[in-house]
Each structure stands twice: as structure tokens, then as C-alpha cells.
Amino acid sequence: MPKFPVLQLKNSTKGELYAISLTFIDAWFPILALYCVTALGAIHTYFYSLVIATTLLGLLLWQQGKVTELKLRKAWWNLFMVSLTITSLYILVFLALRTTSPNHVALILFLQVLFAYLFFGRQPEEQLSSMHKWGVILMSLGAVIILFPKDLQINKGDLWVLMAALIAPFANLYQKRARQQVSSLTILFVRSAIALPFLYLLATLLEPTPSWHAIQQQGIWLLLIGGLAFVVGKVWWIEAIRLLPITKVNALYAFSPALTLLLSYWLLETPPTHSQIIGAIPIILGSLLLTRQASAKIRLPTNQTEEKP
């Protein structure tokens, strides 16, 4: 399992390093995925990259002697829910890339910070503090600017990413619970293995099957998505939310959308639009306000507690 050679550091510091590092990986993800979606189709791209990820994860699971964790029945429910939520999330993201830009994917998906705070970041009876009110207002304002740049009609791809952002807090919740029972590798392997047959059926029914030559041409991008984004980045994400409150991880993740804008401008020669720039500013500022205090009191429903360092 990918780890930093910093075992002497306290858990909070290690969690912060994981979160900052995965920020750079995830900033690349929408751009890499766009290349493959254009050539292979949305669901086929997800399927082939997950085949690579599942193979790598299976080898790592066996090499590190963690196969026995698959027999731990008390973890099965959380592992199933992780697979269900994450698979749904990424199906929506890959489908969205057919009709919207990587910039919009990165910015709208980051609204998961807002939804995580509203769903889990405060007690239902608690009144919003002044700081958190401004955080909610700013992120909501940024979302409106991104989703409705000219009129009140929303792009279908943007709507799918927004749905993915709504799912993300629940996916992170179940990943955090599962990590208290089994390793990151087991979580990732199980969620990938469960998803594969469903994705194959969905891809066969909804999209034309790409040729082997087309798959080979996209091989490098599939390897980067499967190996870097779906293995290394996701291991770091699970480790980060195990060691830190989810809202704090999201705060450290705040500059990933801005980095995606820069990479898109550099690689795709697609400069960010005025609405993307204007919308990104309140979204990032709002996320920092929301997570500044919420990370200290994040709660888990159904009597789940944070794992102590």
C-alpha cells in the first residue's frame, strides 16, 4: 500500500500529507478521463480503468497478506455500501464528461464540501454560526454562477456531477466506517470487484464496444486513471479520512479544482471562462469557512465515532 515514509509523525500530520498529495492526483483526473471518454465512451472508460485498478489491488492485497480480511463479515455491509455509492458517483462523473468540461466537473464535484457540512457537519438543532452562514452563502453563490452562467437552463452533464457531489459525503462516511474494520486495499478491491460485472453489463447495453486498437491507443491514460487515480489516490483519500475529520480533508482538498483549471488551460488549451473563475472564488472561500470550525466537531450518525489516533 502506498505510504509516506513518515511513520514518526503524528496521525494528524500524516493525514494532512495524504490529503495534500491526493489533491494533485485528483486535479488530473477529469482531464485524463476526458481523453478516454471521447475515444471509448463513458462507461467503457470506467470499466477498463477499473479492470486495471482491480488487478493491481488484487496483487497488492495478496502480496501484503490481507486476503483474509475479505472473510470479515461485520465489514460486509459497509463494503457493499462503499461499492454502491462510489460506483454510482463515478458513473455520473464519466457520463457528465460527455456533455460538460473537466473544469465544470472539478468545480461542481467540490460542492461535496457543502453537502458534507449540511449532512454531517453540525447537529440538526444547531444554529449556523456567522462564519458558517457565509460559507454556505458563498458556496451556494458559486454553484449558481457555475451551473447557470447565462440563463436558468442547466447542462445535463452539470446536473449529473451535482448528483455525484450529493452522493460523495455518504460514500466518504461508509469508507471511513469500513476503514475502522479493514484496510484501505480491501475497501478498494471489494468496491472495484463488485462494480466490474455491473459496469460491463451497463457498457454493453448502452455503448458501442470500442475496438482493441482504440483501447490500445488510450492505454497510457487508462493506466494513469486505473493505477494513479483509482489506486494510489484513493488509498491516500481513505487514509486521510481515517486520520482526519472528513471536513478537514475537504478543506485541504480545496485547491484541487483551481489546479484542474490551470491544467486544462495548459493541456487542452481551454482557458477558464469568466463564470468558472468568478464561481470558483466563492466556492473555495466558502469551503474554507465551512471547514474551519466544523472539522473539530464532525459527527457520524448511528453512534459511529471517529477513530482515535
Side-chain angles (χ1 to χ4, degrees):
M1 179 172 61
K3 288 184 178 180
F4 291 102
V6 289
L7 296 179
Q8 72 277 14
L9 297 179
K10 60 183 181 179
N11 283 352
S12 61
T13 304
K14 287 193 286 185
E16 289 165 359
L17 286 174
Y18 283 128
I20 293 170
S21 298
L22 68 88
T23 293
F24 292 96
I25 292 178
D26 277 11
W28 285 88
F29 169 72
I31 297 171
L32 298 176
L34 178 64
Y35 291 145
C36 293
V37 167
T38 303
L40 305 177
I43 309 300
H44 278 94
T45 295
Y46 188 14
F47 172 74
Y48 291 124
S49 57
L50 209 60
V51 167
I52 294 170
T54 306
T55 303
L56 293 174
L57 289 164
L59 291 172
L60 287 170
L61 200 68
W62 174 78
Q63 187 266 333
Q64 297 195 12
K66 298 184 181 295
V67 177
T68 55
E69 291 184 348
L70 299 174
K71 300 178 182 179
L72 195 61
R73 292 192 176 188
K74 67 179 183 180
W76 285 2
W77 172 250
N78 287 327
L79 290 172
F80 170 76
M81 290 304 297
V82 168
S83 182
L84 178 64
T85 52
I86 290 293
T87 302
S88 302
L89 186 157
Y90 276 107
I91 286 175
L92 291 168
V93 169
F94 278 105
L95 287 173
L97 283 166
R98 299 191 305 185
T99 54
T100 193
S101 68
N103 291 345
H104 270 208
V105 169
L107 289 168
I108 297 171
L109 193 58
F110 188 65
L111 292 174
Q112 63 180 282
V113 175
L114 173 61
F115 299 135
Y117 172 76
L118 295 176
F119 295 154
F120 305 130
R122 65 190 187 93
Q123 300 290 342
E125 69 278 3
E126 180 187 33
Q127 300 238 342
L128 285 173
S129 68
S130 176
M131 180 182 299
H132 291 162
K133 283 181 181 178
W134 276 109
V136 170
I137 291 171
L138 286 171
M139 290 203 77
S140 300
L141 174 63
V144 170
I145 294 171
I146 296 295
L147 292 170
F148 307 104
K150 295 180 180 179
D151 50 42
L152 294 180
Q153 291 185 341
I154 186 170
N155 179 286
K156 183 170 62 175
D158 291 346
L159 179 60
W160 282 337
V161 183
L162 187 63
M163 292 170 61
L166 280 165
I167 294 172
F170 297 97
N172 290 330
L173 172 64
Y174 284 109
Q175 286 185 118
K176 192 175 184 75
R177 289 178 179 175
R179 184 60 185 87
Q180 294 172 355
Q181 300 167 319
V182 294
S183 66
S184 301
L185 287 176
T186 299
I187 295 170
L188 293 169
F189 176 77
V190 170
R191 85 181 197 188
S192 301
I194 291 176
L196 280 178
F198 173 73
L199 288 174
Y200 178 78
L201 178 62
L202 201 62
T204 302
L205 292 175
L206 299 182
E207 296 177 347
T209 302
S211 67
W212 176 242
H213 179 66
I215 296 171
Q216 286 180 307
Q217 284 186 320
Q218 301 303 314
I220 183 63
W221 310 123
L222 291 172
L223 282 170
L224 288 173
I225 296 171
L228 196 60
F230 284 168
V231 176
V232 178
K234 295 315 170 191
V235 167
W236 286 350
W237 176 267
I238 293 173
E239 290 303 305
I241 63 176
R242 178 179 70 92
L243 297 169
L244 299 172
I246 294 172
T247 46
K248 184 173 183 179
V249 177
N250 284 329
L252 295 170
Y253 188 72
F255 295 99
S256 183
L259 185 55
T260 298
L261 294 182
L262 294 175
L263 290 171
S264 182
Y265 184 30
W266 174 42
L267 295 172
L268 303 178
E269 298 183 353
T270 306
T273 64
H274 292 299
S275 63
Q276 289 171 351
I277 295 173
I278 296 172
I281 294 172
I283 285 176
I284 293 173
L285 290 178
S287 74
L288 295 175
L289 290 176
L290 281 182
T291 54
R292 183 173 178 181
Q293 293 178 343
S295 60
K297 58 181 180 179
I298 188 79
R299 67 186 179 90
L300 298 178
T302 64
N303 297 322
Q304 295 290 329
T305 57
E306 295 282 354
E307 180 175 337
K308 295 181 181 179

